[in-house]
Amino acid sequence: MSFYSGLKRVLIGESLPTSAHAEERLSNAAALAVLSSDALSSVAYATEEILLVLVAAGTGALSWSLPIAIAIIALLVIVILSYRQTIRAYPQGGGSYIVARENLGLYPGLVAGASLMIDYILTVTVSISAGTAALTSAVPQLTPYTVELCVLFIFLLMVANLRGVKESGQLFMIPTYTFIACIFVLIGIGYYRQAVAPVPHIYPEVRITENVSLFFILRAFSAGCTALTGVEAISDGVLAFKRPEWKNARLTLLWMGAILGTMFMGITELAYTYHIVPEEGQTVVSLLGREILGEGPFYYFIQVATLLVLLLAANTSFADFPRLCYFLARDGFLPRQLAILGDRLVYSNGIIFLSVASAILVVIFKGQVNAIIPLYAVGVFTSFTLSQAGMVRRWLNEKTSGWQASALMNGLGAIATLVVLGVIVSTKFLLGAWLVVVAIPLVVCLFLSINSHYKYVAERLSIQEIAPRSYVPRPKGDIVTHPAIVVVGQLHRGTVEALDYARSIADEIVALHVDLGSTNREKLQQRWQELEADIPLVIVDSPYRSVSRPIVQFVEEFEARHPGALSTVIIPAFVTRNWWEGLLHNQTTLFLKVALRAKKSNRVVTTVRYYL
C-alpha cells in the first residue's frame, strides 16, 4: 500500500460498495442536524446584522428590530409552506435548478443553479468566519490567527464529509442539538430574569451617522434575511432521508421552521430587552450571554456550542453543493468528474471543489463576517424566486388535485421572495452585492461554454455513419503469440480506431468494459453487435466504482491463460483541441497506465489517440 493510500484510508475510511448506498440514509433527527444546521445557526448572526444597520441611526432606532424580525418570521412561514409543496411535487428531490429548468426553461434553470452554487460557497465562508468570530470573542488572543483557523476548520469539515453521509450525520447531531438546547436555555433564563427583575432602560452613547428612512429600514430587513439562508436545503436533499423520503423531508422542514423562528424571535427580543448594542470583536450572542449569565462556565459553554454549530452550518453546503454539482454535471454543464461517486458514496470532487473555493474567499476577505455578508442572500433569494415561480407554472400546467391552493401558496412565495430579492439587491448593491449580480451571469456563461464543448466532443466522436467492422481470428488450436485487450469506456470513434489498431497487430482480441453501476448494458451490447460483432465484449462489474482495479485483475487473468505471449493492452483516448478542455474529462487513461505498469510483466501498454 502506498503512503497516499494509507493516509486516505486513515482520514476517510475504507471504500464502501455501491450496494451500501441505501444504508447511507439519514433519520429525521440526523437530517435536521446535517441539512438544517445552516438555517438554525443563522440565529447566531442574523439579529446582529439587523442591529449593525440600525445602530447607525442611534440607539432609538434599535426598537425597529422587533417589527423587522416579525416580518422575517412571516417570510419564513411563507417560504417553509412553499417548499413543502415543492417536496410533495418532487418526491425524488426538487432543488431550485431542477424545478426551474423543468418548468421555466433552460436559462432560468441555469440561473437558479449558478445562484445556488454561489450561495453555497458563501454559506461555508460566512459560517466558518462567524464560528471563528465566536471563538475569538471568547478568546481574543486568537484574533491574529483568524484566517488560519478558518482554513483549518474548512479542512476538518471537508475530511468529515468525505467520510460519508451517515458518519457525518452521526458526528454533527450532538453539536447541533447542544446549540439548540443552549439557545433555548439562554432565552428561558433571559425571560425569567426579565420577569423577576425588569432590566433598566439604559443604552450606551452611540454616534448617529444616518437618519431613519424607508430605505434604511429595508436595508436592516435585507441584512436580517440571512436568517433564511439554508431553508431550501431539505428540498434539495430529499433523497438523503430514509423511506418514505418525501414525507420525512416535509416533516423535518416543518420542525426546522418552528425551531428557527422561535430562536430568532427570542434572541432578537432579548437583544432589545437587554439593550444590546453591537461591539467590535463581540457577537450579539456573546454580549447577550455575558449580560444574562455573566462570564461563568455556561457562558463559555454557549460560545463553544455556537462555534461548533456555525462550523457545522457550513455542512449544509457540504451536503447539498456536491449534489447540485452532480445534477449540473450529469446534464453537461459542469465537468463530468463532479458526477462521480467517491469511495464513501459521496460526491468527493464536489466536496473538495467547495472546500477550495470557500478557503480562497476566506483568505480574500480575511475571515471578516461583516465583509462577506453583503454578498450573502442574493443567490439564495434568486433561487427561491425561480423555484417558486417554477412550481406555480407546474401547478397551472398539470392541474392535479388541490392545485389551486398549491399554486396560490407557491405564487405567494414567489412574490414575497422576489420583493425581498429586489430589496436585498437595491440596499446591498454598492456594499458588495454587485459582485454576485455580476458573477451569476458569468457562471451561466461558463455552464453554456462547458455544455458546448461536450456537445462538440459528442458530435466528433459519433459513430452514426461508421460501417460494421470485420476481423478473422486465428483458428482454434493455433498458438496465440500476440493477444490484445482493448479497454472500452464508451463506444465512439476513438474506440473504433483502437479496435482497428488491435486487428492489425493481434491474433486474439478481447474488448473489456468496466460497469461502475451506470452502464446501460442492453444498449451497449446491442450497439456492439451492430458494429463490432467480430470481437467479444466482456463487461465486468466494479462494486467499489474503481476502473483500474478490475482491469488490472482481468489483464492478469487473461495473461495467465496465455503464458509466454506478449500481450498488448490498448487504451483509446481522445485529445482535445486545447489543454484546458482536457480538464473537463476524466484522467482515467493516465491512472490506468500507471496501474498496468506498476508490476513487471511481459506486456505492452499503449494508447491510441483520436484527435478532436
Side-chain angles (χ1 to χ4, degrees), residues 44 108 159 218 230 272 276 343 374 396-397 411 418 466 497:
V159 172
L218 289 176
Y272 171 71
I276 299 298
D343 290 346
L396 292 176
N397 287 340
L418 178 62
I466 293 182
E497 290 203 1

Side-chain angles (χ1 to χ4, degrees), residues 178 327 352 505:
T178 299
F327 288 125
I352 294 169
I505 65 166

Side-chain angles (χ1 to χ4, degrees), residues 367-502:
Q368 299 301 311
V369 180
N370 297 334
I372 310 166
I373 283 291
L375 283 68
Y376 207 29
V378 175
V380 73
F381 275 94
T382 301
S383 62
F384 277 174
T385 303
L386 290 170
S387 174
Q388 298 311 309
M391 287 304 303
V392 173
R393 182 78 174 270
R394 178 187 174 92
W395 297 125
L396 292 176
N397 287 340
E398 297 191 357
K399 296 184 178 180
T400 53
S401 175
W403 69 271
Q404 295 97 333
S406 297
L408 179 63
M409 179 53 64
N410 286 124
L412 183 61
I415 293 170
T417 53
L418 178 62
V419 170
V420 174
L421 175 62
V423 169
I424 290 172
V425 172
S426 61
T427 56
K428 292 184 176 183
F429 189 81
L430 295 178
L431 298 175
W434 66 270
L435 285 170
V436 180
V437 174
V438 171
I440 289 173
L442 290 178
V443 174
V444 170
C445 289
L446 178 65
F447 289 162
L448 294 172
S449 177
I450 291 172
N451 187 251
S452 174
H453 168 75
Y454 283 134
K455 285 181 177 178
Y456 170 77
V457 171
E459 183 182 334
R460 294 287 290 124
L461 294 177
S462 173
I463 54 175
Q464 291 299 324
E465 299 176 1
I466 293 182
R469 278 2 191 208
S470 62
Y471 163 66
V472 181
R474 281 179 176 268
K476 289 186 177 180
D478 282 14
I479 297 174
V480 176
T481 59
H482 197 169
I485 301 169
V486 181
V487 178
V488 177
Q490 296 176 335
L491 188 52
H492 52 61
R493 282 185 179 271
T495 310
V496 170
E497 290 203 1
L499 290 166
D500 287 345
Y501 172 70

Side-chain angles (χ1 to χ4, degrees), residues 155-169:
F155 173 76
L156 293 176
L157 268 179
M158 179 187 76
V159 172
N161 279 276
L162 287 173
R163 293 187 66 86
V165 173
K166 192 173 181 180
E167 282 206 27
S168 63

Side-chain angles (χ1 to χ4, degrees), residues 515-581:
D515 183 4
L516 303 179
S518 57
T519 299
N520 185 334
R521 295 196 179 202
E522 184 178 345
K523 183 179 179 181
L524 177 59
Q525 291 280 17
Q526 179 184 350
R527 199 72 184 98
W528 189 269
Q529 291 303 316
E530 292 172 357
L531 201 62
E532 307 284 355
D534 56 311
I535 296 176
L537 173 66
V538 178
I539 301 177
V540 296
D541 291 310
S542 181
Y544 291 89
R545 301 164 306 287
S546 168
V547 174
S548 301
R549 199 178 308 160
I551 289 177
V552 171
Q553 183 179 349
F554 180 88
V555 169
E556 289 176 347
E557 293 173 356
F558 181 82
E559 289 175 338
R561 297 196 299 269
H562 301 84
L566 178 64
S567 60
T568 299
V569 180
I570 301 170
I571 307 171
F574 57 83
V575 181
T576 55
R577 293 171 295 182
N578 304 295
W579 67 266
W580 59 84
E581 292 177 333

